[in-house]
Amino acid sequence: MTGTDFLQLSPAAAPVRGLTGWLADAIRAAIMDGRLRAGTPLPATRLLAGDLGVSRGVIVEAYQRLADEGLVSARPGTGTRVLGVPRPVSGEAEAPPPGPLLVPPGWRERAQIDLSPGVPDLSGFPRAAWIRAERAVLEQASVTELGYGDPRGSLSLRTELAGWLARTRGLRAQPGDIIVVTGVAQALALLARVLRAQGLEEIAVEDPGSRGARDDLAYWGLRPVPVPVDEHGMDVGQLARSRARAALLTPAHQFPTGVVLAPQRRRDLLDWAAAADGLIVEDDYDAEFRYDRAPVPALHASAPDLVAYAGSTSKTLAPGMRLGWLIPPARLRAELTEAKYASDLGSPALPQLVLARLIASGELEQHIRLVRKRQRSRRDALLRALREHLPQARVQGVAAGLHLLITFPGLDACDAGYDADLAEAILRTGVLVQPLSWHRQRPGVPGFVLGYAAHTPDRLHEAARRIARGMP
Amino acid sequence: MTGTDFLQLSPAAAPVRGLTGWLADAIRAAIMDGRLRAGTPLPATRLLAGDLGVSRGVIVEAYQRLADEGLVSARPGTGTRVLGVPRPVSGEAEAPPPGPLLVPPGWRERAQIDLSPGVPDLSGFPRAAWIRAERAVLEQASVTELGYGDPRGSLSLRTELAGWLARTRGLRAQPGDIIVVTGVAQALALLARVLRAQGLEEIAVEDPGSRGARDDLAYWGLRPVPVPVDEHGMDVGQLARSRARAALLTPAHQFPTGVVLAPQRRRDLLDWAAAADGLIVEDDYDAEFRYDRAPVPALHASAPDLVAYAGSTSKTLAPGMRLGWLIPPARLRAELTEAKYASDLGSPALPQLVLARLIASGELEQHIRLVRKRQRSRRDALLRALREHLPQARVQGVAAGLHLLITFPGLDACDAGYDADLAEAILRTGVLVQPLSWHRQRPGVPGFVLGYAAHTPDRLHEAARRIARGMP
């Protein structure tokens, strides 16, 4: 606890006499007003004596005085630590954060089984491979790589990503085309900033579609214009009739319906963008997980000048990584790089270098293969359980991803928030499901989005049982 | 290379006959158009056969055909890899990024000794302690900690930071008061966003002051109003006469002059903020490094309701960490948390948990103590070298930090960009110095900002020798 201005004690301010009392007073005051908390170690006597330029005896005696008062305790080997009533972490810190939340306050706490979509099986995080790669990175990283870097991200990661996205998603991107971001949310924030500066005020979004993406765009000043999604994906005819000149889509696996943008719609969409000087924002959020259908290359592969492609490791590794990429058309590259620089100078270096190694070594690939197998069996378990307990539900979007959608066509006529009421009733059974209406801007058939990736087959079965119990 | 849609090959699209040719064609096309680069491993035959639902013999034969064409090579143990002319990483990728740069393009490449300020001794990064802590974090982290977390950051880091900042900087903050950010740049971006939304259009900044901070604020729409800095810090009288209702300062160690905000100025500044309903933004960028003077507690410690405090690990660990904190007045907390959420949902989890451990274990402290000792000897070496080679220079700001300032009072009358011309002449000797005018908005005495932390005494001596050679 020295070498860093312990309590801002200044040797110059110390009295000529009464050094022990001066020091004991300062430490006592810090304990009393909470700056030094229970459990905090005091500086080693030798070090503090050196810092303050006083004899070690002064420090020892001051500590002894505080020990006599019951404020600190000296334990052999562990040094002197602050005692006293342990201050609980303030209630404020434990309170949910302020700001916008999709899930109402308290819901998560009440859920024994949380089926919120978008969270992978975090217990499967490749801890051993990650730490191995990070050790190698720290042994080999050049000093420059830990400094203020290229705002676009580390060249080694951008090089590996270019190859990875070419192999797995058909993209033809050079490392210089890629901007490493802290996830798709940041990609959208940067795009919104730059499009807004160019005078755009609206962006078409899928309806139903990701509520988080919609809120994020709106925060940064782009009004999200809902365009309906049917079994072929976004209705491009309606998009063309709108005034929007940018559109956000999830073509490979629409969120939350799970449909794939149909071939004719893909062509229509690209035609629209070419004719209207429009921008397609492709959120490729869970393309790695595909079970029963042919792989669909990314839209970006067909028209890199019309498409800004965004992806992340949130579904393959963990959302907490905050590691993603944005591959914009060339005309937006400079402005987006500037926006990234002005936002945070660039993404953290170490995780980028580790991910580059995991791609190069094939370990990311191996991990995804393993997880895919596990997800598929979980999906199958949930499907079986739904057939058993909720035979009236229509199940959609099962061929890929980490979630599926169930709707209740029989309840069509009910009002918009009806599924939210149902979700609240289901929460009483201990299961959190997201009502489809949370992800809608316009009314439609009620339903629930069910994320299955984070739960074992047994728990999924139990969840379906409880959902049925909570239904009217 | 499987499990992730290798080349988006679809078993359904495979012909009934001629499977080998179909597969070889697809891989050849991908090699030719650059999607598969030299060195890329092809999927193991067994795995690809399983994915495509064909016999392994088909894959083996297709690979053999490509090997015969000289496109791939099978090496025992390492599998089949793509050959062919290695594609150089595109020139574009190596080019400097677009966007705003303080240092002109090409300068860094020409510098044998780069004295840019703000970069610590990265060779001293505590690699062993970091990797040890990260292993422990990965072994113990709960699944929740890797998920979508609290946008304010991990509770364990905020708890440790509250204690750390109390001990070392006198702050009295609860964990719930802290927002973990990706560095001071992000803290400023978030503040600019929120202040702008409240109708503020201007922010007072120190002149000279950090060019990076000024540009960042301007990008986000806050006009930086220069307020002169003298030997007591920012001229608070001039601040009070301006229309600005927010002010960014570096009170503990002004950048780049190195002066400490004088006690009377501190009081005046707090009075101004209280009277004008103003906000003080305290950039505590290098408070950990202090050599010959009494420690100064942070301004925030005196008036948490008037001061937004920002700091980071850029100077103590490495800029590439992108790990910092913002402690705003309570009235701005909710809006700043919302802005953080809309920017990136929250900072990456792993580095936060690792830093929390390094604080709790005392290893961060130990590291700073070590580095401080090394910095001091480097500073002393540079001072000696400057006395020897540049006796005409006035040296300032030596009592703390990672840089010092030299000015040339004799050259007072020269025009504003004169030191930039000098820096260009010095660059021809292989030394990069930042001219003081880069960090000024209004003309003033010419000078150079010299960062010494990243260089050994020998190199600092050599740098001073060359600077003298480059001077007129």
Side-chain angles (χ1 to χ4, degrees), chain A residues 117-159:
Chain A
V119 181
D121 181 7
L122 296 172
S123 68
F125 185 86
R127 295 167 196 239
W130 185 274
I131 201 78
R132 223 171 21 241
E134 179 142 334
R135 185 182 308 107
V137 159
L138 278 172
E139 275 163 11
Q140 292 163 24
S142 73
V143 155
T144 326
E145 287 176 307
L146 297 177
Y148 290 104
D150 188 319
R152 292 172 301 182
S154 115
L155 178 58
S156 68
L157 177 57
R158 289 184 286 118
T159 304

Side-chain angles (χ1 to χ4, degrees), chain B residues 73-84:
Chain B
S73 112
R75 277 176 297 178
T78 65
T80 306
R81 283 177 186 269
V82 175
L83 287 179

Side-chain angles (χ1 to χ4, degrees), chain A residues 175-206:
Chain A
D177 304 335
I178 301 176
I179 302 173
V180 176
V181 293
T182 54
V184 171
Q186 184 176 55
L188 295 180
L190 300 177
L191 281 164
R193 159 80 193 170
V194 166
L195 294 176
R196 210 52 200 83
Q198 294 187 348
L200 252 67
E201 294 183 348
E202 299 182 336
I203 183 166
V205 297
E206 297 163 323

Side-chain angles (χ1 to χ4, degrees), chain B residues 230-251:
Chain B
D230 60 24
E231 70 274 25
H232 304 297
M234 181 187 267
D235 181 337
V236 178
Q238 289 216 28
L239 166 65
R241 286 188 294 279
S242 81
R243 289 179 315 163
R245 279 177 46 232
L248 168 66
L249 290 95
T250 48

